[in-house]
Amino acid sequence: MSAIPLRKTVLYPDSDGLPMADNDLQYRAMVDLRSSLEARYAGDPEVYVGANLLLYYREGDPSASVSPDVFVAFGVGKGDRRSYLVWEEGRVPVLAFEIASQNGWQTLLGKKKDLYERLGIDEYVVFDPDGEFIQPRLQGFRLKNGRYRPLPLEPDGSLVSPATGLRFEPEGVKLRVVDVASGKRFPWIDEDREARARAEEQAVREAAARQSLEDELARLRAELERRERND
């Protein structure tokens, strides 16, 4: 009799019962960061960007989980997930983010940092939207010989991620994602929506202008034909 796979016998819940965010600042920073990262990797089918998703890291043990606010995983493919099972995906994320809030900010540079280090996540970034709890409010760490070492901040307070080739720039209470090589800045949700609306309006104006030109050409052709008939 064949053994039943653990995936069939062990329940890995989709939710930990906690809210997605503790406040508006954390929520907006989290959602816009994910949106910008998804825009960056939209054309790469082998990069997955997750947010507030339970990551299980020990097969058969549902208590061995953590829920990064945002994370980036390479080589696992896109697609909707109920949770992220490390042993099924075949690798841990390359980059994890935590957004500070009053509830639990003390763990971000302690317990959670230690866990991400043990899991072998290449880079870990902490961001405090209004700088109330953590200074400097943007901090990053990169694995070196199995231990996290601080990533240096740029003179403007931004942080470069060697793992992704991206720069993270604090703008107000959110992070701007910038491609280091090209300088391209990826939009937040509202900006993307506004850009799409402007593009649609421009397309409507251009279509109206083309139709007006076609109508005028048709009028002129008709006028020319009328004159030729009368000659």
Side-chain angles (χ1 to χ4, degrees), residues 23-185:
N23 55 63
D24 287 344
L25 296 184
Q26 186 186 31
Y27 174 81
R28 289 171 183 160
M30 185 190 311
V31 171
D32 276 315
L33 176 58
R34 182 188 190 182
S35 177
S36 295
L37 288 167
E38 285 182 327
R40 164 61 182 87
Y41 294 110
D44 192 331
E46 295 302 312
V47 178
Y48 173 71
V49 180
N52 196 45
L53 194 73
L54 279 168
L55 182 151
Y56 291 94
Y57 51 86
R58 188 179 304 125
E59 187 174 8
D61 183 2
S63 67
S65 68
V66 64
S67 180
D69 286 335
V70 181
F71 66 88
V72 179
F74 289 168
V76 299
K78 297 191 187 311
D80 294 335
R81 291 163 167 80
R82 293 184 178 276
S83 57
Y84 190 99
L85 307 180
V86 169
W87 57 93
E88 289 190 358
E89 302 286 355
R91 61 189 68 197
V92 297
V94 69
L95 175 61
F97 293 86
E98 293 290 351
I99 311 299
S101 68
Q102 186 175 6
N103 182 23
W105 67 267
Q106 298 92 339
T107 69
L108 302 188
L109 297 177
K111 183 179 178 181
K112 279 198 171 180
K113 177 171 170 281
D114 293 342
L115 175 58
Y116 292 146
E117 181 181 80
R118 292 198 305 273
L119 292 178
I121 294 175
D122 285 349
E123 292 177 356
Y124 173 47
V125 176
V126 175
F127 178 59
D128 185 352
D130 56 3
E132 184 175 354
F133 307 107
I134 295 174
Q135 289 295 332
R137 66 179 182 137
L138 178 62
Q139 298 184 35
F141 306 88
R142 181 172 172 82
L143 280 180
K144 183 176 182 179
N145 299 324
R147 299 297 302 274
Y148 274 144
R149 307 298 181 192
L151 284 168
L153 289 178
E154 300 297 304
D156 62 357
S158 65
L159 183 72
V160 173
S161 159
T164 62
L166 298 175
R167 182 192 310 277
F168 302 105
E169 299 179 355
E171 282 190 25
V173 295
K174 295 188 285 190
L175 282 177
R176 174 71 65 187
V177 176
V178 182
D179 184 80
V180 173
S182 67
K184 182 176 180 179
R185 301 166 67 81

Side-chain angles (χ1 to χ4, degrees), residues 5-19:
L6 283 177
R7 187 73 164 98
K8 302 296 185 181
T9 61
V10 178
L11 176 64
Y12 301 97
D14 298 348
S15 171
D16 55 10
L18 299 175

Side-chain angles (χ1 to χ4, degrees), residues 196-212:
R196 290 175 185 273
R198 287 195 299 270
E200 291 175 1
E201 291 172 359
Q202 180 64 23
V204 169
R205 287 194 296 270
E206 291 176 354
R210 286 195 299 271
Q211 186 61 53
S212 178

